[in-house]
Amino acid sequence: MAAVGEMEDGFPATRLFNQGYSYTYDDVIFLPHYIDFPTDSVQLNTKLSRNINLSVPCVASPMDTVTEASMAVSMAALGGIGIIHSNNTPSEQSSLIRSAKSHRIPFACTDIPFVSPDDSISSASVFETSPCVFVGSKSDNKLLGVVDKLTWEGLADKEARVSSYMEKNMITLPNTYKFEDVAGYLAAKELDFVPLVSGNGEVVDVVSKADVERIRGFPKGGLPSVGEDGEFLVGASIGTRESDKKRLEYLVEAGVNLIVIDSSQGNSIYQIEMIKYAKKTYPDLDVVGGNVVTMYQAQNLIQAGVDGLRVGMGSGSICTTQEVCAVGRGQATAVYKVSSVAAQSGIPIIADGGISNSGHIVKALTLGASTVMMGSFLAGSTEAPGAYQYQGGHRIKKYRGMGSLEAMTKGSDARYLGDTAKMKIAQGVVGAVADKGSVLKFIPYAMHAVKQGFQDLGASSLQSAHDMLRSGILRLEVRTGAAQVEGGVHGLLSYEKKSF
């Protein structure tokens, strides 16, 4: 009988990924290793870029149906980060960054209702998004007074000007208060709600007793992602056009912590010049380059001075780049290959695209990624931009690729170097995703599933997983089509699939 040390079981990554095949996450499977630690001892803290650390390896994609201020705040509160999209004007993007960084707790009220002193409130519908209506300037959210629903319902004349019955001496708290501070104040003063106000008098949020109970009901995430100033870390994307240099100036003034240069094919003279400009002009600002899928692409951007790399081309659920342009790479192969060269320079990589379950996150992180960037995984959540609609009896939100014609009409065509072209060729689609609820609930559950995956691998941290992969301790195999079917739910007449 052969000794265990002489037994060949599975393949080391170096052998598996050098056979000329382009593998996706579903194509490969890790073989389990040895467990000598509990699930809760798995550490998921990681590097987003050269100088930015996260306690949770999750990044919200810079897409206009995924990441604006609400998503950025919630992701940072969980220990990850959101990258605010650039499919807008520089001033609009800067405003979203300022809004996100003005919060210390996840949005309790995403649509703060404001009326002017001379207005009247004729319908109770204005109270649907907030326990009260604020009176003041709609342009800058400066507060003059407040009207709660109970007071309005008691009015004999609903056409009366709000200035005649608004509460002028309302209680407010600074927006710098943390969640437990606000919750404690509401309980101590027996208040139903309290507005959070910035130093210049602008209403940032409204927190009610119901919000406190809702947030306390969510599972615990990682340590929040905050900077030295105590504000949430927020990233933003820019393009490679000359006008993006001015956009970059706006974002830095707004306090952005990280820049992601957004391009479907990042190995271009345009991106290299933008990287060098950004690093020369703002040397303390971390810049993530991409997207790349080959070692050659990665090496060029590393030499240009990037602090992180975004990996993926055509692997997103709404992306058609591989189909339309016949270029790209299977995401598992791309992550492994790029991380192999990036690790030599100490550059973290972000696995962007192809994430549809916690198993994909485990594979991406083990294959060499430091974080995963998610689009469809987060789309449809409470924090994603857009209003819920009903389609075929399902509650859904729109989700579109930045390469879709619909998104391109707003400016994202520059991402595909097509902003000056007369003919626009789509590299993405517009779709819909089901209501997922709040990321504050499902991300912690997903991260616990990831910890269980790492435990099965015998890796107690991301660095441990990377070391075990490169040393050949971790082994992989390619799954046949039948093996993939067998590895999922099968053989049932009907079933209901719940992850938590």
Side-chain angles (χ1 to χ4, degrees), residues 404-420:
S404 65
L405 290 177
E406 184 177 287
M408 282 185 172
T409 60
K410 291 192 66 179
S412 68
D413 48 355
R415 185 177 192 271
Y416 302 86
L417 303 180
D419 53 317
T420 60

Side-chain angles (χ1 to χ4, degrees), residues 173-189:
L173 290 178
N175 67 310
T176 53
Y177 270 37
K178 295 180 180 179
F179 172 72
E180 289 301 334
D181 298 328
V182 176
Y185 190 87
L186 283 172
K189 300 295 183 181

Side-chain angles (χ1 to χ4, degrees), residues 354-369:
I355 301 294
S356 59
N357 55 54
S358 58
H360 290 162
I361 299 175
V362 173
K363 290 176 182 179
L365 297 175
T366 305
L367 287 170

Side-chain angles (χ1 to χ4, degrees), residues 213-436:
E213 293 305 313
R214 176 179 59 85
I215 293 174
R216 280 181 171 164
F218 292 132
K220 183 176 175 56
L223 292 174
S225 304
V226 296
E228 293 179 356
D229 56 4
E231 296 180 346
F232 282 140
L233 298 180
V234 180
S237 67
I238 63 170
T240 57
R241 295 170 293 188
E242 187 66 26
S243 60
D244 283 294
K245 293 178 179 179
K246 188 65 177 177
R247 179 185 290 269
L248 178 57
E249 182 183 334
Y250 273 75
L251 301 181
V252 171
E253 290 175 355
V256 74
N257 300 103
L258 174 93
I259 289 296
V260 174
I261 300 181
D262 198 19
S263 177
S264 65
Q265 210 284 53
N267 187 30
S268 69
I269 185 63
Y270 315 109
Q271 178 154 160
I272 289 171
E273 288 179 349
M274 182 59 77
I275 292 167
K276 291 179 178 178
Y277 171 82
K279 293 305 297 182
K280 180 180 179 181
T281 311
Y282 307 103
D284 296 330
L285 179 66
D286 272 17
V287 176
V288 172
N291 280 32
V292 297
V293 291
T294 71
M295 293 187 287
Y296 169 67
Q297 287 178 300
Q299 193 61 51
N300 277 352
L301 300 192
I302 291 171
Q303 290 174 354
V306 293
D307 301 295
L309 285 169
R310 189 176 168 198
V311 178
M313 190 173 187
S315 56
S317 63
I318 40 63
C319 185
T320 60
T321 295
Q322 293 186 17
E323 176 185 328
V324 172
C325 301
V327 291
R329 200 171 204 175
Q331 188 68 345
T333 301
V335 169
Y336 175 74
K337 288 290 190 178
V338 174
S339 66
S340 297
V341 68
Q344 297 172 17
S345 301
I347 301 298
I349 74 164
I350 304 169
D352 175 23
I355 301 294
S356 59
N357 55 54
S358 58
H360 290 162
I361 299 175
V362 173
K363 290 176 182 179
L365 297 175
T366 305
L367 287 170
S370 294
T371 54
V372 292
M373 180 173 279
M374 298 175 288
S376 63
F377 198 84
L378 303 177
S381 64
T382 306
E383 292 80 5
Y388 283 110
Q389 303 170 11
Y390 283 90
Q391 188 178 93
H394 299 284
R395 195 167 185 247
I396 58 97
K397 271 188 181 182
K398 179 188 286 188
Y399 177 52
R400 68 186 184 191
M402 299 306 284
S404 65
L405 290 177
E406 184 177 287
M408 282 185 172
T409 60
K410 291 192 66 179
S412 68
D413 48 355
R415 185 177 192 271
Y416 302 86
L417 303 180
D419 53 317
T420 60
K422 293 181 180 179
M423 297 177 66
K424 308 293 184 187
I425 306 299
Q427 293 186 41
V429 299
V430 179
V433 289
D435 176 13
K436 294 186 177 75

Side-chain angles (χ1 to χ4, degrees), residues 48 59-63 66-68 72 81-86 93 234-237 258-260 310 350 373:
L48 170 67
V59 184
S61 181
M63 304 172 70
V66 177
T67 310
E68 290 188 346
I81 194 171
I83 312 298
I84 292 177
H85 71 88
S86 55
Q93 190 181 19
V234 180
S237 67
L258 174 93
I259 289 296
V260 174
R310 189 176 168 198
I350 304 169
M373 180 173 279

